[in-house]
Amino acid sequence: MRLDKILENVDTLNIYGDKNIDIDNIYYDSREVTKNSLFICIKGYNTNGHLYIENAIKSGAKAFLIEEDINIDNMDKYTFIKVSNTKDVMAKIASNFYNEPSTKLDVIGITGTNGKTSVSTLLKEILNKVNKCGLIGTIEIDNSKEKIIPKNTTPESLDLQKSFNDMLKNNCKYCAMEVSSHALSLGRVKDTSFLMGLFTNLTEEHLDFHKNIEDYRNSKEKLFYMTTKANIINIDDEHGKIILNNIKNLDIPVYTYAINEHADFMASDIILEKDHIEYKVKTPTYEDYIYVNIPGKFSVYNTLGIISICYILDIDINIVKEVFRNTKGIKGRFESIKNNKKLNVIVDYAHTPDALENILKASKEFTKGKVITVFGCGGDRDRLKRPIMGKIAQEYSDVAIITSDNPRCEDPHKIINDILKGINIKKDNYIIIEDRKEAIYKAIDMANDKDLVIIAGKGHEDYQIIGKKKHPFDDTKVALEAINLK
């Protein structure tokens, strides 16, 4: 594509050199640069892309998006486009380069603290029964031809627009997309056209990034001003009610779902079993009975949200019901570990207070023996939630084993000490085992066939971050090793 076309509607300060040149690709990582490409120089937290211009030239870049003044040899051979902030305009440049791909897809954005992965993954299963559906989320990016492990829940804007374009090439009609608060705050989803947005819930999380819970909620709310067809809000959530009040006068309809509040989509007569849920759903035009092959009250909320989306898309409820009944679940989301010792072991991604409380409450409802919980908290992240999670784990578990999660660059002892601030030390139902593998082995060694072991915090992750390095570590594999040795 010609560079002048790529720069349409981009606010530039100056352009040095020829903009009537052809660009074959765009990169923001100098290590990926190929011939005849545009290199976007981003000033990040850890490095500055302007320092790698000469490396990019050696790899064949011939145009550069900059925000700093540059002085290199033979500058007149290349084109430099100066803007106020390269990262801010990257989304527009990416959308232009890929011919506004999100406008040609039905992109459904799902935001909230918990439930995004479960909703988007199940929604993709359903929509694939009707037409091809791509997926952008925490576990994977699926463009209907290949699956890619993402760096972030929501990719950088350039990667995001490329993913949309790949989905179009592979004849996708839909895209189910997790939309994180970071992406909304940092502009990764700018120039993305969303057909509709869904809000699941909001609890204390990412307060290392956001100033406070209000700032966190305001970031989530941004999604609902970017939609073209409808918005859907969980109004059992107090923050959902605030968002609903803020967006109710927009030009597009807002639908609500709930169990307790009066809403457009409601669940009643709920039955919670250890391996499934059942309930009656009431929609604006019909009622039906729902069976979901995933346990827990949170699954009621997740599937209610999905039913709302499918209703608006005019998807046959029988297709929805078939997927709910037959789904094998989502990796690392209340995932039951199959084993021949008849031990009940569940791996779950719960790494927020609300998510941990939800899975423990759900587990207590069907467990005949003890609930044994293994959990920790991530390092270099929100410290305020640590004592809260300690209190929840102790309150809703018969035994809480406090261990390490992804300590990153923090001392694991300090993280555990923060968790202990929420623990009642007079009660003897907690154990501290810093080594995560040892903690999982201990939990399984303690359990009998009536007990339930919950390994929380990492879910689908197959690594543990210690320092700045990822070390192979999979809760599921470690649990199976421990079971086989029992």
Side-chain angles (χ1 to χ4, degrees), residues 20 35 135 449:
N20 298 311
K35 191 177 179 181
L135 174 71
D449 59 2

Side-chain angles (χ1 to χ4, degrees), residues 320-372:
V320 179
K321 289 168 65 175
E322 178 191 357
V323 170
F324 286 169
R325 179 173 286 276
N326 297 314
T327 184
K328 294 179 181 177
I330 298 100
K331 181 170 174 56
R333 268 57 177 182
F334 219 72
E335 180 184 4
S336 180
I337 306 304
K338 303 284 190 293
N339 64 87
N340 57 12
K341 301 285 180 71
K342 296 183 179 179
L343 291 177
N344 302 306
V345 182
I346 285 173
V347 169
D348 192 88
Y349 190 52
H351 61 286
T352 66
D354 184 62
L356 186 63
E357 183 173 344
N358 282 340
I359 65 164
L360 292 180
K361 281 184 174 179
S363 301
K364 292 291 275 185
E365 288 171 345
F366 62 75
T367 302
K368 295 178 181 177
K370 300 187 297 292
V371 172
I372 304 166

Side-chain angles (χ1 to χ4, degrees), residues 204 353 356 384-393 418-419 422:
E204 192 168 284
L356 186 63
L384 296 176
K385 71 179 183 182
R386 294 172 184 173
I388 299 170
M389 290 182 68
K391 184 174 187 293
I392 288 167
D418 282 342
I419 294 171

Side-chain angles (χ1 to χ4, degrees), residues 168-186:
L168 287 175
K169 286 181 181 177
N170 299 330
N171 299 312
C172 287
K173 174 176 172 55
Y174 303 106
C175 173
M177 178 179 170
E178 295 184 51
V179 186
S180 69
S181 61
H182 286 68
L184 288 157
S185 296
L186 298 172

